[in-house]
């Protein structure tokens, strides 16, 4: 008897529903902002990565309109085959100047930058050592590369050292891979220790600055700047879609590295160039970010104020250790996380429940942004104080 070869999809969806792992998308209206209309209800937005509040900035919108008038809407092909615009190089030069690296290449997303860079840098004869909590794009880049992948426990430098002693000599090249700000936890990688190990064992080091660019460091260059490691040999990846309010990704590093990626990274060579609109938005965002450091100052003022309010009014809340604008509190299971997420939503707070398989333990994840007002943070804490955490 023939069975329907697609029947398993509905069965699989039913299993996802039973575990309370099912997810769906909600519609928001209006410009990105600290408050948004979510399915018609006004909510305070703790679900946005727009750390500096630039995604709805009129200056970005004007820059995009001008770029679209001049260059049109599409890039029409890959950069190697169809050519690129001055804007693309202007953006790469601006990011290289921010990062203090020799060169930069921009990709169509941060996800594609990670896939392409990792797949180009290592192969079958090589080893990848990867933090257990790394972003999906780093994990899938590692799989795509065909290298042997060993995950080390989260931020555990001692275990990483042991693995290097045991395994390094069995492989040609070795790449250590880590988020700089961990996206679902908000803590930082131990960058100076990782750099030391990379140098001692002749490994390349790749860090993903997605949540750190524009956020950490005196000039907003990221975690590398925060730890005083500017100018060291590090492959830095990042996104244009968080603090820079646009869409796209980048790799920053030496001239040779970037030249090599332009010749070997499949997710750059075989895909259409970043659109003129996205390119112009990111370029305008970098300029504003450099001219208005007070945005980053305000962001950190907000982070510290919220932490202080939480400690003062909710000392029993299980906050995960964080050194970034990402603040998470843990809940016993997915069902409870959904319930708390729903209660928050009913009280006008938009903060997503993060559940397996994204993370192993369920939580509510709060993203603080520069454009939150004190009143927004106070309202959040007020609402949390009256929520029943025991279901
Ligand atoms: C968001 C994110 C990415 C993906 O970046 P996109 O530009 O959105 O594709 C990669 N790595 C980390 C750590 C992220 O948080």
């Amino acid at each position: 008897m023939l069975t329907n070869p697609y029947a398993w999809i509905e069965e699989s969806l039913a299993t996802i529903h039973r575990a309370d792992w099912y997810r769906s998308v909600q519609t928001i209206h209006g410009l990105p902002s600290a408050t948004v209309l979510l399915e018609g209800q006004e909510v305070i937005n703790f679900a946005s990565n727009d750390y500096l509040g630039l995604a709805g900035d009129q200056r970005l919108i004007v820059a995009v309109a001008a770029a679209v008038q001049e260059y049109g809407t599409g890039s029409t092909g890959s950069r190697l085959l169809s050519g690129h615009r001055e804007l693309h190089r202007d953006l790469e030069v601006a990011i290289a100047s921010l990062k203090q690296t020799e060169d930069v290449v921009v990709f169509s997303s941060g996800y594609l930058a990670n896939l392409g860079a990792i797949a180009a840098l290592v192969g079958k004869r090589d080893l990848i050592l990867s933090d257990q909590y790394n972003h999906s794009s780093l994990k899938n880049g590692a799989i795509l590369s065909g290298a042997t992948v060993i995950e080390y426990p989260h931020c555990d430098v001692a275990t990483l050292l042991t693995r290097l002693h045991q395994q390094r000599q069995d492989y040609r090249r070795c790449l250590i891979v880590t988020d700089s700000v961990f996206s679902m936890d908000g803590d930082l990688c131990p960058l100076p220790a990782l750099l030391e190990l990379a140098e001692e064992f002749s490994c390349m080091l790749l860090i993903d600055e997605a949540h750190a660019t524009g956020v950490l460091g005196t000039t907003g260059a990221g975690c590398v700047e925060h730890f005083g490691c500017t100018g060291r040999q590090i492959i830095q990846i990042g996104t244009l879609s968080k603090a820079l309010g646009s869409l796209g990704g980048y790799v920053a590093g030496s001239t040779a590295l970037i030249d090599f990626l332009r010749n070997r990274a499949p997710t750059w060579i075989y895909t259409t160039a970043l659109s003129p609109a996205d390119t112009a938005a990111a370029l305008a965002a970098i300029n504003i970010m450099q001219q208005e450091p007070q945005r980053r100052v305000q962001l950190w003022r907000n982070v510290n104020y919220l932490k202080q309010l939480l400690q003062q009014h909710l000392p029993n809340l299980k906050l995960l250790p964080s050194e970034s604008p990402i603040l998470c509190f843990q809940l016993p299971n997915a069902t409870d996380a959904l319930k708390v997420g729903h209660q928050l939503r009913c009280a006008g707070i938009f903060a997503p429940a993060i559940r397996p398989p994204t993370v192993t333990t369920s939580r509510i994840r709060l993203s603080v942004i520069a454009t939150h007002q004190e009143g927004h943070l106070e309202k959040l804490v007020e609402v949390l104080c009256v929520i029943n955490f025991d279901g």
Side-chain angles (χ1 to χ4, degrees):
M1 237 211 22
L2 287 177
T3 55
N4 174 355
Y6 301 97
W8 68 271
I9 295 176
E10 279 174 32
E11 289 157 21
S12 194
L13 267 175
T15 307
I16 293 170
H17 272 293
R18 272 195 301 278
D20 265 334
W21 287 14
Y22 183 77
R23 318 169 199 211
S24 58
V25 184
Q26 295 171 307
T27 305
I28 64 170
H29 302 273
L31 284 176
S33 163
T35 58
V36 288
L37 271 186
L38 179 65
E39 307 273 342
Q41 181 200 1
E42 166 123 344
V43 291
I44 305 171
N45 191 2
F46 290 96
S48 164
N49 298 317
D50 184 22
Y51 293 114
L52 301 176
L54 293 175
D57 192 288
Q58 284 304 319
R59 292 165 291 181
L60 269 68
I61 294 169
V62 168
V64 166
V68 171
Q69 280 299 336
E70 185 167 358
Y71 302 114
T73 51
S75 289
T76 78
S78 73
R79 285 167 72 180
L80 289 177
L81 289 190
S82 308
H84 64 193
R85 301 294 194 165
E86 283 166 328
L87 262 186
H88 291 110
R89 265 320 273 170
D90 291 349
L91 175 59
E92 289 170 342
V93 168
I95 299 170
S97 151
L98 171 69
K99 288 272 173 185
Q100 303 276 299
T101 59
E102 287 173 2
D103 205 356
V104 159
V105 59
V106 292
F107 286 71
S108 301
S109 78
Y111 206 109
L112 289 172
N114 278 331
L115 291 185
I118 296 172
L121 290 169
V122 286
K124 281 196 175 59
R125 294 158 61 193
D126 306 321
L127 175 65
I128 291 177
L129 289 160
S130 172
D131 189 291
Q132 176 195 9
Y133 285 8
N134 276 346
H135 189 261
S136 159
S137 53
L138 295 172
K139 294 190 176 195
N140 282 325
I143 293 169
L144 185 63
S145 76
T148 300
V149 183
I150 299 178
E151 286 200 339
Y152 58 88
H154 182 48
C155 290
D156 184 344
V157 176
T159 303
L160 176 58
L161 172 65
T162 308
R163 294 279 174 274
L164 284 165
H165 272 302
Q166 290 167 339
Q167 313 271 346
R168 175 67 186 95
Q169 72 274 13
D170 297 340
Y171 296 89
R172 180 182 59 171
R173 297 196 278 265
C174 177
L175 179 68
I176 301 172
V177 174
T178 185
D179 280 19
S180 72
V181 172
F182 286 87
S183 58
M184 293 299 137
D185 294 78
D187 54 345
L188 302 187
C189 74
L191 182 60
L194 294 177
L195 253 176
E196 250 175 59
L197 287 185
E199 282 166 8
E200 185 182 341
F201 289 88
S202 180
C203 303
M204 300 178 283
L205 175 62
L206 182 153
I207 78 166
D208 180 344
E209 295 265 50
H211 289 277
T213 305
V215 171
L216 282 170
T218 328
T219 69
C223 188
V224 171
E225 182 182 36
H226 170 80
F227 281 116
C229 297
T230 307
R232 305 279 293 273
Q233 284 226 42
I234 305 170
I235 300 161
Q236 299 182 54
I237 305 217
T239 179
L240 311 177
S241 65
K242 288 170 179 145
L244 299 178
S246 179
L247 179 68
Y250 63 84
V251 181
S254 68
T255 306
L257 169 76
I258 301 307
D259 216 21
F260 175 78
L261 292 178
R262 281 192 288 255
N263 286 274
R264 281 283 185 277
T267 59
W268 187 80
I269 298 170
Y270 301 106
T271 195
T272 303
L274 205 58
S275 77
D278 293 325
T279 312
L283 187 55
I286 291 184
N287 287 333
I288 293 172
M289 184 186 116
Q290 290 176 324
Q291 283 156 20
E292 299 178 357
Q294 63 270 26
R295 287 178 175 269
R296 198 163 34 261
V297 173
Q298 188 57 48
L299 170 63
W300 283 100
R301 205 176 279 152
N302 287 348
V303 171
N304 292 327
Y305 184 52
L306 178 58
K307 277 186 175 171
Q308 179 208 318
L309 286 176
L310 290 171
Q311 272 154 18
Q312 193 181 335
H313 297 283
L314 290 148
N316 294 327
L317 202 66
K318 286 195 193 109
L319 270 189
L320 299 180
S322 163
E323 294 167 88
S324 73
I326 300 166
L327 299 179
C328 297
F329 55 92
Q330 232 168 341
L331 290 154
N333 54 56
T335 310
D336 287 2
L338 275 187
K339 258 185 214 154
V340 171
H342 181 71
Q343 285 175 288
L344 285 170
R345 166 73 191 280
C346 291
I349 304 287
F350 184 23
I354 311 288
R355 293 163 283 161
T358 304
V359 291
T360 48
T361 55
S362 296
R363 65 202 61 180
I364 296 288
R365 179 178 183 275
L366 303 164
S367 283
V368 179
I369 61 178
T371 46
H372 280 138
Q373 293 163 8
E374 281 186 3
H376 295 143
L377 307 175
E378 288 157 5
K379 175 73 195 280
L380 165 67
V381 174
E382 219 172 88
V383 169
L384 282 173
C385 282
V386 298
I387 278 186
N388 178 5
F389 284 100
D390 307 316

